[in-house]
Each structure stands twice: as C-alpha cells, then as structure tokens.
Amino acid sequence: MTEKNIKTIYNKLVFLLMILLNNVGYAQNIHFSNVYVTHLTLNPANIGNFIGDMRVVGLYRAQGTNISKPYSTFYTSFEKPFFPFGEQIDFGIYYSYDNSAGNTLPAHYLYLSLAKKLKLSQSLSFSTGIQLGYNRRMFDGTNETFPDQYNRDLGSFDPHLPTSELFEMSTSSSFSAGVGFLAIKTFNGKNASIGYSMQNINRPNDTFFNIEYKTNIRNVFHLKVDYTFADHFFALPALVLIMQGKAKQSLLGTNIGYDLKETSELDNIMAGVFVRNGILNDVESLIFAFGFSYHKWRFFTSYDYDISGLKKSYSNSNGFEFGLVYILPSSSIRNIIHPSERF
C-alpha cells in the first residue's frame, strides 16, 4: 500500500468520524426550538389538528452565528384533510434542508404522513399517524481549506491555493419509516394533548465512503396544555422528550398569551421561556419565544441563549428562528372537538 493510499484512507476516516459525530449531534439536539410549529418532525399523528381546509408552515433556523459558516436549517410543510367515503384522512408532507458541519454536509429530508382521528367521546379524540421519508445527505469538501492552503501573506487560509488533500463527493440515501399516536382531551375550557412517536423504526443505514452506520430508533414524547385564565390571558405549557440511542434531550417551558380580538386587528400575542435540557441532562440553553396571530397568519420567532458554558462549541452556540403559518379557513361545517390549536 502506497503512502498516498494510506493518506487517503486516513482522510476518509477523519471525515467519516466528523460525519458520525454530526449524526450523534443531530440525535442529541431538538433541531428546532419551535417544535410545535414544526410539528410533523415530532409526530405524524399531529397532522390535521387545526380548523381549516389546509395549513402551510415555513421556518428558518440559524445556529452558530459566532462562526464563519453557521449551521442553517429550513423547514416547510403542507397539510390538508381529505374525506374519502365520508371518512376524514389527514395528509401531510414536509421538506427540510440542513447545511451543517461547516457546510460540508448538506442534507435533504422529504417526509409524507397520513393520520386518522377517532372520536372516542365529545371531549376525547385519538389519532394514529404513519410516516415515510426519504433522506439524502452529501459530503462535500470542495469549499473547505486545508493546512497546505495557508497563505502567509494574508495570514489566513486561502481556498484558491492548490492542495494535495483530495476528497471525492460522497452521498448517502435512505428511506425512514415511523408511527405516532396522539390523544386530545377537552375539559373545563382546557385542551390537553399527549403524544408519542417512534421514528427510524426500520433503522436505515447512512453510508459514506462505503462505510455504513445504522441509525438508531428515535423516541419522541410530547405534552402540551392550552388553557385560558384571567379573562383574556392564556397559557401554553409544553414538554418534549427525545431519546435516540444513548442521546437524550428535553425541552420544557411555557408561552403566555393575551387575546386581542375585541380591541385590535391582531388575534393574540404571546411570549414565553423554555429550557433545553435541565431534566435529563445539564441545562444547555434558555429559549426566549415571541409570536402573534393575525387572521389567517401566525408569526413565530425565538432566540436560543447558550448557558452551558460551551458558547464556542459549534452545536451548542446561540441560535435564532423565525417562521410563518398560514391556515385557510374551513369551507364546510364540521363537528370540532376542540375549538383551536395554538402553538
């Protein structure tokens, strides 16, 4: 084996380790802070929990803005109920794009979901959902710089200089399946939902440079309560637990809102604070959230403030999100168990 071949194998192993660490990091992090906005990433049974003919969501997240190439994610989803043979079936689709690991690991995720609701009583419903997704991740080192590209005149690395480090493009594609369950209970003017989903139940393989890594099953538990108090005020406490392999993650907090329909063009405004981890592990970050509703539109934004002491860490640095939700009002009269779905 030549020295060049040994060096090539070594380089591949180094970057494979980076990819696998990024995969573990993805398992450890709740990818979005506004997890009830990107609800299809939590549970396919979440489809259709709104009053309307369709719902469209768009959200962008930037994390690690303290580095030159911040981690960025885009999410969009579409939901619509259908009524074959007089039965309601909820359809959902979401697409997400990541660019992580210094922009060397772009990834595309496309998931289709179906859910069916059962009305157990006037105040209790139960939903079951299934989900099938296509994942495509790529390794691209063409935009990276290496030690032999250091330019002493500039005092920095210059990507235009030639390099002896050669990394071919590598891609990994896989299909992932999941199932989810959701129960919604209405009592004394309160709406409580509790859900559980299992994702990657087929344990798909990630394959880079002909080396396979089997993805662990992802278990997601989520709980949320929506209740009104003191006339126009409402609260939305929520809890999310995610477990994947040895990685565990939690998100706990609440939004407090105020209904403005009687005095303003806005429907409501709300703000809240959440803690990432703090239940299963040490506290990682505080999340400050804000949002408002205006007729068919919902706007959400949040800021993650790192309090873990690892602000220089790529995966634990500060993050920012903003998103929009559009709900087309229902064109038919239906028997609705719960009056609204607020985030």
Side-chain angles (χ1 to χ4, degrees):
M1 183 178 291
T2 66
E3 181 179 350
K4 181 178 180 181
N5 289 336
I6 294 175
K7 187 175 183 180
T8 299
I9 293 174
Y10 171 77
N11 288 335
K12 287 183 177 181
L13 290 176
V14 169
F15 274 84
L16 178 63
L17 177 61
M18 181 183 70
I19 289 168
L20 295 182
L21 288 176
N22 181 76
N23 200 346
V24 172
Y26 179 80
Q28 290 177 334
N29 285 287
I30 297 176
H31 214 46
F32 297 99
S33 297
N34 292 285
V35 290
Y36 281 98
V37 180
T38 58
H39 50 280
L40 297 188
T41 64
L42 283 184
N43 191 337
N46 278 329
I47 305 171
N49 288 316
F50 65 98
I51 301 175
D53 282 343
M54 72 173 188
R55 175 165 59 180
V56 181
V57 176
L59 189 143
Y60 174 78
R61 176 179 177 87
Q63 181 177 346
T65 53
N66 59 318
I67 60 176
S68 59
K69 296 178 181 179
Y71 181 93
S72 60
T73 306
F74 171 76
Y75 168 94
T76 184
S77 65
F78 171 83
E79 299 163 79
K80 183 174 177 58
F82 291 92
F83 299 89
F85 309 107
E87 293 290 331
Q88 179 175 339
I89 301 293
D90 294 304
F91 167 82
I93 180 173
Y94 85 80
Y95 166 76
S96 183
Y97 172 76
D98 289 338
N99 209 344
S100 59
N103 289 342
T104 62
L105 196 64
H108 302 267
Y109 305 93
L110 181 64
Y111 279 74
L112 301 175
S113 302
L114 292 175
K116 172 61 180 172
K117 296 181 179 62
L118 296 176
K119 182 179 176 181
L120 303 181
S121 70
Q122 285 298 112
S123 62
L124 178 64
S125 68
F126 183 80
S127 299
T128 303
I130 58 173
Q131 195 170 64
L132 179 64
Y134 174 73
N135 309 310
R136 181 175 176 82
R137 302 208 292 167
M138 294 158 281
F139 168 73
D140 183 5
T142 57
N143 294 320
E144 296 302 303
T145 54
F146 301 95
D148 57 359
Q149 292 178 297
Y150 184 78
N151 189 325
R152 295 184 180 275
D153 295 331
L154 296 177
S156 61
F157 292 94
D158 185 354
H160 299 96
L161 293 178
T163 178
S164 61
E165 308 288 351
L166 299 177
F167 295 97
E168 68 272 24
M169 175 76 74
S170 182
T171 63
S172 178
S173 299
S174 63
F175 288 94
S176 177
V179 296
F181 310 94
L182 179 72
I184 300 175
K185 173 70 174 178
T186 301
F187 54 97
N188 298 326
K190 302 178 180 66
N191 298 317
S193 64
I194 182 170
Y196 169 74
S197 70
M198 290 180 62
Q199 303 169 12
N200 304 321
I201 58 176
N202 58 322
R203 301 204 63 192
N205 289 325
D206 253 342
T207 305
F208 285 96
F209 304 116
N210 297 318
I211 301 177
E212 291 187 351
Y213 171 81
K214 188 171 288 292
T215 306
N216 288 316
I217 293 176
R218 185 180 179 92
N219 297 279
V220 181
F221 170 85
H222 54 97
L223 171 67
K224 186 178 66 162
V225 179
D226 181 350
Y227 67 93
T228 301
F229 64 96
D231 293 332
H232 299 288
F233 286 93
F234 61 88
L236 300 169
L239 168 68
V240 176
L241 303 176
I242 296 180
M243 292 159 283
Q244 186 170 4
K246 295 182 179 180
K248 296 178 176 63
Q249 185 68 256
S250 63
L251 189 71
L252 174 66
T254 186
N255 281 311
I256 302 294
Y258 185 78
D259 285 321
L260 295 165
K261 291 182 180 179
E262 297 180 2
T263 59
S264 171
E265 286 293 320
L266 295 178
D267 293 335
N268 59 63
I269 59 172
M270 62 183 180
V273 177
F274 290 80
V275 177
R276 193 188 304 279
N277 276 349
I279 298 177
L280 300 177
N281 299 302
D282 294 332
V283 175
E284 179 181 312
S285 62
L286 287 176
I287 300 167
F288 302 95
F290 174 77
F292 64 86
S293 299
Y294 177 76
H295 301 321
K296 304 174 185 177
W297 296 91
R298 315 284 188 270
F299 171 79
F300 303 92
T301 186
S302 65
Y303 181 75
D304 291 33
Y305 181 71
D306 186 351
I307 58 174
S308 66
L310 299 175
K311 292 185 175 62
K312 294 183 180 179
S313 168
Y314 177 77
S315 62
N316 290 313
S317 54
N318 299 340
F320 174 76
E321 291 181 11
F322 64 90
L324 282 172
V325 177
Y326 173 80
I327 297 178
L328 181 66
S330 177
S331 59
S332 61
I333 300 175
R334 302 176 195 160
N335 186 11
I336 302 297
I337 295 176
H338 47 96
S340 65
E341 174 71 6
R342 294 187 286 209
F343 299 97

